[in-house]
Amino acid sequence: MEQVRFKKSSYSGGSPEACVEVGLASEGVHVRDSKNTANAVTLTFGPAAWAAFMSSPSVAVPTSA
């Protein structure tokens, strides 16, 4: 996996038990648990799968970075 810069989700509500991090890469979007970043399992979503997920009515899309 290429070097990916992850960003913690702002929708975690400040709870360290329920945080995920998202990182953009050339092959898609990586998602991992923020509690154990060194050994975290990373899920990778292709561009079409990520776009479908983000367009889901149950996903709150941030309006700013």
Side-chain angles (χ1 to χ4, degrees), residues 21-42:
E21 295 179 335
V22 175
L24 299 178
S26 59
E27 70 272 12
V29 178
H30 300 288
V31 180
R32 70 180 181 187
D33 185 344
S34 64
K35 294 185 301 280
N36 186 8
T37 59
N39 298 313
V41 173
T42 302

Side-chain angles (χ1 to χ4, degrees), residues 6-22 30-37 40-41 43:
F6 284 88
K7 181 177 179 181
K8 187 182 281 191
S9 169
S10 62
Y11 289 94
S12 62
S15 172
E17 295 81 30
C19 297
V20 295
E21 295 179 335
V22 175
H30 300 288
V31 180
R32 70 180 181 187
D33 185 344
S34 64
K35 294 185 301 280
N36 186 8
T37 59
V41 173
L43 302 174

